[in-house]
């Protein structure tokens, strides 16, 4: 495994391009996110996704979260969000809100765990955003740890536990930690809370209720 240091606020272009190259070739790259380190892979590659599950020792029935550079990239490669989802994305992206949408057929089946739905968000983290942009598609962002072990904000811990199993570690120093993203299923009307997280559900409901059409069909 290669470990590359980057400036978290202004990541070096060559490091971002190296990460993107590995991902596009089917590799696994540990990257910083808004909270902890995550494992980035191409969710449209069945081989890359299978390798990711093997490295983590993760059950194939557990879906993988995705991150995108922006809402336009998510729509281009995953499909259009519902009206409510679009309103939520406009309000909370980039930020700690994961929206469930219908999974496109192009995604590796294991990404959505046979649920037919996939979660995506746009991170605030400059490194994660830049890598998504360089890859050109959304990427996975599951925690960079062995399943059952604690996720970490420390790149040295990522190297210790996964260094022999992954291709590249983008080291931006310690990540901030904090609450995980709030997960909302935007495929149903009205949207429902799937997992409580950094954004209070009551705040999300207030925002949805302020719209002219959400939940009023």
């Amino acid at each position: 495994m290669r470990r590359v240091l980057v400036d978290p606020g202004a990541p070096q272009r060559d490091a971002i391009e190296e990460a993107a190259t590995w991902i596009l070739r089917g590799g696994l790259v540990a990257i910083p996110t808004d909270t902890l380190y995550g494992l980035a892979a191409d969710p449209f590659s069945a081989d890359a996704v299978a390798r990711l599950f093997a490295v983590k020792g993760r059950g194939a029935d557990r879906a993988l979260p995705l991150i995108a550079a922006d809402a336009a990239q998510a729509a281009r490669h995953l499909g259009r969000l519902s009206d409510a989802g679009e309103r939520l994305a406009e309000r909370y992206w980039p930020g700690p809100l994961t929206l469930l949408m219908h999974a496109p057929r192009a995604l590796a089946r294991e990404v959505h765990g046979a649920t037919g739905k996939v979660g995506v968000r746009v991170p605030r983290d400059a490194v994660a955003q830049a890598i998504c942009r360089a890859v050109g598609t959304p990427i996975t962002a599951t925690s960079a740890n062995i399943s059952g072990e604690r996720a970490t904000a420390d790149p040295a811990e990522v190297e210790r536990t996964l260094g022999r199993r992954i291709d590249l570690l983008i080291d931006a120093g310690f990540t901030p930690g904090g609450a995980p993203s709030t997960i909302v299923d935007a495929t149903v009307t009205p949207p429902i809370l799937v997992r409580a997280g950094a954004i209070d559900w009551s705040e999300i409901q207030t925002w949805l209720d302020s719209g002219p059409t959400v939940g009023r069909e």
Side-chain angles (χ1 to χ4, degrees):
M1 182 208 74
R2 176 171 155 79
R3 184 173 178 177
V4 178
L5 300 177
V6 300
D7 180 336
Q12 298 88 328
R13 180 179 297 178
D14 57 348
I16 298 301
E17 290 178 350
E18 182 175 355
T21 297
W22 274 113
I23 293 167
L24 289 168
R25 289 177 178 173
L28 299 183
V29 180
I31 66 171
T33 71
D34 295 327
T35 53
L36 304 168
Y37 273 81
L39 280 181
D42 179 359
F44 299 93
S45 167
D47 288 343
V49 171
R51 183 182 169 200
L52 175 56
F53 274 92
V55 164
K56 282 182 63 72
R58 185 183 178 99
D61 59 335
R62 298 184 61 195
L64 295 173
L66 305 183
I67 55 173
D70 50 37
Q73 185 183 79
R76 188 162 57 250
H77 294 280
L78 301 176
R80 182 181 177 274
L81 286 163
S82 64
D83 290 344
E86 288 186 348
R87 290 196 68 243
L88 289 171
E90 181 181 0
R91 170 66 179 85
Y92 292 106
W93 284 359
L97 178 66
T98 295
L99 295 173
L100 295 189
M101 59 190 303
H102 295 294
R105 291 184 179 180
L107 277 181
R109 179 179 173 83
E110 290 77 11
V111 171
H112 55 85
T115 64
K117 299 179 182 181
V118 63
V120 63
R121 68 183 178 87
V122 175
R124 287 198 185 102
D125 184 88
V127 178
Q129 263 198 39
I131 291 173
C132 289
R133 192 165 288 111
V135 171
T137 68
I139 59 178
T140 68
T142 184
S143 56
N145 63 313
I146 304 298
S147 288
E149 296 185 3
R150 180 173 295 182
T152 184
D154 182 359
E157 182 66 11
V158 175
E159 182 172 30
R160 185 188 70 81
T161 58
L162 297 177
R164 295 183 179 181
R165 306 182 183 200
I166 64 176
D167 302 298
L168 181 68
L169 166 59
I170 297 296
D171 180 354
F174 278 82
T175 54
S181 65
T182 301
I183 301 178
V184 171
D185 188 344
T187 69
V188 296
T189 302
I192 59 174
L193 178 68
V194 176
R195 182 184 73 187
I199 304 172
D200 286 342
W201 177 233
S202 60
E203 178 186 337
I204 292 171
Q205 287 180 302
T206 297
W207 173 255
L208 288 172
D209 289 343
S210 70
T213 61
V214 174
R216 294 181 173 84
E217 286 91 6

